[in-house]
Amino acid sequence: MSLLVVGSVAYDAVETPFGKCEKMLGGSASHFSISASFFTDVRIVAVVGGDFGSEELKIFNEHGIDTSDLERIPDGKTFRWGGRYDYDLNVAHTLYTDLNVFAEFQPKLSEASKGARLVFLGNIQPDLQRGVREQVANAELVALDTMNLWIDLARESLLRTIRGVDLVIINDAEARQLTEIPNLIKAAKMILSWGPKVLIVKRGEYGAALFTADSYFAIPAYPLESVFDPTGAGDTFAGGFMGYLSSQENLDEAAMRRAMIFGSVMASFNVEEFGTARTQRLTPDEINERFRAFKKITHFEEIPFKKAVQAAK
Amino acid sequence: MSLLVVGSVAYDAVETPFGKCEKMLGGSASHFSISASFFTDVRIVAVVGGDFGSEELKIFNEHGIDTSDLERIPDGKTFRWGGRYDYDLNVAHTLYTDLNVFAEFQPKLSEASKGARLVFLGNIQPDLQRGVREQVANAELVALDTMNLWIDLARESLLRTIRGVDLVIINDAEARQLTEIPNLIKAAKMILSWGPKVLIVKRGEYGAALFTADSYFAIPAYPLESVFDPTGAGDTFAGGFMGYLSSQENLDEAAMRRAMIFGSVMASFNVEEFGTARTQRLTPDEINERFRAFKKITHFEEIPFKKAVQAAK
């Protein structure tokens, strides 16, 4: 049981209508690994600068996240992202992106990382994702996330990378952009025709959907009265999904359906506070409680209808 | 067991990227009643002109819809609506609205209609809705639909009408506009605080949600690879929902959850062809088959997670 994530570790600065945080742990690999750590053992492949603090390392350590492959470049600076959300929390307005050491990131996998059973290729340049994928040839399941930037700038490389993975996790706008098909069900079929066995489409406040060649599963989002900071929700979802899967012996569809719920549960906690603050201090009981709430939210009895006789008029 | 609908009966002309239909049966009461007729006995209160054809009347009759209260004004013309959809089928572009006899519509209820067990106040001017509501004082459940036009033009009257009904069925944009609250969960709480016991929010391709004071139920839409004509989907949903409820003895939450599924099933058929064409020729088996498909689409096993021991590394 081990799960590897390759992605970014960053310092984020975020402004929302509800508050402001100048500097906090961010990046896809951070959100993913903290979320996954509740379910399984996680290893992280990423790069940070000399400014990366012991406080942030401590967060990884306290969650049992293996940082042996977290490269440190002493005379470089950690990736920084600044963003703002208005009342429409679905749209992030990027204020600045300082790639710093992340600009030259070349993922380096130790032998232990190469032996991971499950791998998540976080949102980085698709050539790099493919390079990592080739080094984990024996992994049981390799998943990939991406974003509109790479669909625009590196489409051909991204398509090659997608052809080589088992599972794709993207949002609905990205699925449409990638396939140039407005209908999501058709777009999903096209992505699956390229090679992946499974596609997960994240739909923000509307939930998420799981597509395979012969099945469809869709869930709503957990109903939240206030979303405080949506940054990292997608990676936290992926962390919960892959983390739970990693804890299961059989990676069958039933396990994936439960993993979808655990992913949604983790994402629903993530958005309640800045950065990883809420996710960090979760307990298994809190996670299971919200998992059970999902059953209540979606349950109905399967009783076909029979029209009462007209004579009853 | 009887269900009353008050609304419009119209001739629609619709253009979509996939085809064009110059004249077909439309209007909220038509879509609603045909959908509901598969589950229960429906009575319709509406008005048509002298041009309303026997072909259209036949559709109502064949579905056992009681048209005794369908008023006919021989020297008037039937309500006509023309609309166009582009590739984004979520947005209807109105080309013309000729209210004709509908402009002076004053719903007239026979004694039989006044005795209906369930009542649906389709999308008409809220003063008229309230007038009907006052005439069905003994109904077990009265539901209301509305639209952005009335929120803009007759807000105070609409709020008074909402306070007097048991159930509100609107779409998510309308819920936000009505309450001026962007968060849907908060908006739903506010609407329920005005009086209705139940709120249903339609979310188009994302499904629908049911809110009560102490519960939440959400379902995805049935996955369709092609949506042909979305006109009337909302009223067809409402017809399936209210029609199924009308066939049930207890209007409890479990029944409402199943009714949500039947409403979604009916709406999913409605959009497959122009107007009421697909819905008209449905069979109970087709409806139940798609109902069962919803169970498959939403089912997962309720197994809380246990983290495997770290020693397993």
Side-chain angles (χ1 to χ4, degrees):
Chain A
M1 138 168 163
S2 84
L3 170 61
L4 177 73
V5 53
V6 183
S8 59
V9 170
Y11 280 126
D12 284 353
V14 173
E15 284 177 52
T16 80
F18 318 110
K20 198 171 168 170
C21 184
E22 296 286 357
K23 189 182 172 190
M24 57 188 161
L25 180 62
S28 60
S30 306
H31 283 284
F32 180 96
S33 62
I34 293 168
S35 176
S37 72
F38 288 89
F39 305 95
T40 191
D41 296 328
V42 201
R43 308 180 62 88
I44 195 168
V45 176
V47 63
V48 293
D51 59 338
F52 195 70
S54 55
E55 274 304 303
E56 285 73 29
L57 258 183
K58 208 177 131 198
I59 298 173
F60 290 139
N61 293 336
E62 281 175 356
H63 288 82
I65 296 163
D66 189 321
T67 53
S68 329
D69 287 357
L70 178 63
E71 192 185 353
R72 192 183 189 92
I73 300 184
D75 54 352
K77 278 191 156 182
T78 301
F79 177 17
R80 284 181 176 249
W81 178 79
R84 199 193 73 233
Y85 297 90
D86 297 326
Y87 280 96
D88 181 356
L89 290 154
N90 295 309
V91 184
H93 305 276
T94 292
L95 300 175
Y96 59 85
T97 304
D98 297 337
L99 291 175
N100 300 329
V101 295
F102 195 63
E104 305 293 322
F105 179 42
Q106 292 291 342
K108 291 174 194 72
L109 277 64
S110 59
E111 287 309 309
S113 285
K114 286 179 190 168
R117 180 177 168 228
L118 274 76
V119 178
F120 181 70
L121 307 171
N123 165 34
I124 58 174
Q125 211 282 341
D127 293 337
L128 297 182
Q129 289 180 317
R130 207 163 57 250
V132 172
R133 201 278 166 262
E134 284 160 7
Q135 294 177 64
V136 292
N138 295 323
E140 204 173 320
L141 186 143
V142 178
L144 162 153
D145 183 20
T146 191
M147 70 186 292
N148 53 356
L149 179 77
W150 307 123
I151 303 175
D152 287 334
L153 296 186
R155 186 182 176 82
E156 284 312 309
S157 171
L158 177 58
L159 292 179
R160 277 186 63 193
T161 309
I162 287 175
R163 283 196 281 271
V165 301
D166 306 295
L167 194 155
V168 171
I169 306 185
I170 52 181
N171 69 38
D172 47 0
E174 288 157 359
R176 291 182 167 107
Q177 189 190 352
L178 189 60
T179 57
E180 295 171 342
I181 295 176
N183 180 285
L184 188 65
I185 314 298
K186 270 191 193 161
K189 281 206 172 172
M190 174 168 278
I191 294 170
L192 292 178
S193 78
W194 296 337
K197 296 270 180 296
V198 184
L199 169 70
I200 292 171
V201 176
K202 296 172 286 182
R203 294 163 153 176
E205 66 166 313
Y206 297 111
L210 176 97
F211 298 84
T212 71
D214 52 13
S215 75
Y216 176 69
F217 175 62
I219 56 170
Y222 184 81
L224 288 171
E225 278 192 53
S226 56
V227 173
F228 189 83
D229 170 19
T231 313
D235 293 305
T236 305
F237 172 90
F241 179 89
M242 295 289 288
Y244 177 76
L245 263 196
S246 171
S247 76
Q248 299 294 298
E249 233 174 280
N250 295 317
L251 309 184
D252 57 9
E253 192 182 323
M256 288 203 192
R257 288 181 170 217
R258 293 192 300 273
M260 289 279 286
I261 307 289
F262 283 112
S264 302
V265 164
M266 299 307 285
S268 74
F269 283 117
N270 172 267
V271 302
E272 290 183 347
E273 294 180 25
F274 271 130
T276 60
R278 181 71 186 94
T279 318
Q280 265 173 240
R281 59 168 205 277
L282 279 173
T283 65
D285 283 350
E286 285 176 310
I287 296 169
N288 279 328
E289 192 188 347
R290 208 165 269 193
F291 175 83
R292 288 189 197 97
F294 261 94
K295 196 68 194 180
K296 289 206 189 84
I297 287 168
T298 58
H299 178 73
F300 65 92
E301 295 159 300
E302 192 177 352
I303 308 174
F305 91 94
K306 265 187 233 167
K307 190 176 174 176
V309 275
Q310 293 277 340
K313 257 200 263 202
Chain B
M1 138 167 164
S2 84
L3 169 61
L4 177 73
V5 53
V6 183
S8 59
V9 169
Y11 279 126
D12 284 352
V14 173
E15 284 177 53
T16 80
F18 318 110
K20 197 171 167 170
C21 184
E22 298 286 356
K23 189 180 171 192
M24 56 188 163
L25 180 62
S28 59
S30 306
H31 283 284
F32 181 95
S33 62
I34 292 168
S35 176
S37 72
F38 289 89
F39 305 94
T40 191
D41 296 328
V42 201
R43 307 179 62 88
I44 197 170
V45 175
V47 64
V48 292
D51 59 339
F52 195 70
S54 56
E55 274 304 303
E56 285 73 28
L57 258 183
K58 207 176 133 199
I59 298 172
F60 290 138
N61 292 336
E62 281 175 358
H63 287 82
I65 297 163
D66 189 321
T67 53
S68 329
D69 287 356
L70 178 62
E71 191 185 352
R72 192 183 188 93
I73 300 185
D75 54 353
K77 278 190 157 183
T78 301
F79 178 17
R80 283 180 177 250
W81 178 80
R84 200 193 73 231
Y85 297 90
D86 296 327
Y87 280 96
D88 181 356
L89 290 155
N90 295 308
V91 184
H93 304 276
T94 292
L95 299 176
Y96 59 85
T97 304
D98 297 337
L99 291 176
N100 301 329
V101 295
F102 195 63
E104 306 292 321
F105 179 42
Q106 291 290 341
K108 292 175 194 69
L109 277 64
S110 60
E111 287 308 308
S113 285
K114 286 179 190 169
R117 180 179 167 226
L118 274 77
V119 177
F120 181 70
L121 306 171
N123 166 34
I124 57 173
Q125 210 281 342
D127 294 335
L128 296 182
Q129 289 180 316
R130 208 163 55 251
V132 172
R133 201 276 166 262
E134 285 160 6
Q135 293 178 66
V136 293
N138 295 323
E140 203 174 321
L141 186 143
V142 178
L144 161 153
D145 183 18
T146 190
M147 72 184 291
N148 55 356
L149 179 78
W150 307 123
I151 303 175
D152 286 335
L153 297 185
R155 187 182 174 82
E156 284 312 309
S157 171
L158 177 59
L159 291 179
R160 275 184 64 191
T161 309
I162 287 176
R163 282 196 282 273
V165 301
D166 305 295
L167 194 156
V168 171
I169 305 185
I170 52 182
N171 70 37
D172 48 0
E174 289 157 358
R176 292 183 167 108
Q177 189 191 350
L178 190 60
T179 57
E180 296 172 341
I181 295 176
N183 180 286
L184 188 65
I185 314 297
K186 270 191 193 161
K189 280 205 172 173
M190 175 168 279
I191 294 170
L192 292 178
S193 78
W194 296 338
K197 297 270 179 295
V198 184
L199 169 70
I200 292 172
V201 176
K202 296 172 287 183
R203 294 161 154 177
E205 66 166 314
Y206 297 111
L210 175 96
F211 298 84
T212 70
D214 51 14
S215 76
Y216 175 69
F217 175 63
I219 56 170
Y222 184 81
L224 288 172
E225 277 190 55
S226 57
V227 173
F228 189 84
D229 171 18
T231 313
D235 292 305
T236 305
F237 172 90
F241 179 89
M242 295 289 288
Y244 177 76
L245 263 196
S246 171
S247 77
Q248 299 294 297
E249 232 174 282
N250 294 317
L251 308 183
D252 57 9
E253 193 180 325
M256 289 202 191
R257 287 180 170 218
R258 293 193 301 274
M260 290 279 287
I261 307 289
F262 283 111
S264 302
V265 163
M266 299 307 286
S268 75
F269 282 116
N270 172 267
V271 302
E272 291 182 347
E273 294 180 25
F274 272 130
T276 60
R278 181 71 186 94
T279 318
Q280 264 173 243
R281 58 168 205 276
L282 279 172
T283 66
D285 283 350
E286 286 176 310
I287 296 170
N288 279 329
E289 192 188 347
R290 208 165 267 195
F291 175 83
R292 287 190 198 95
F294 261 94
K295 195 69 193 179
K296 289 205 189 84
I297 287 169
T298 57
H299 178 72
F300 65 94
E301 295 158 301
E302 191 176 351
I303 308 174
F305 91 95
K306 266 188 231 166
K307 191 175 175 175
V309 275
Q310 293 279 338
K313 256 199 264 201

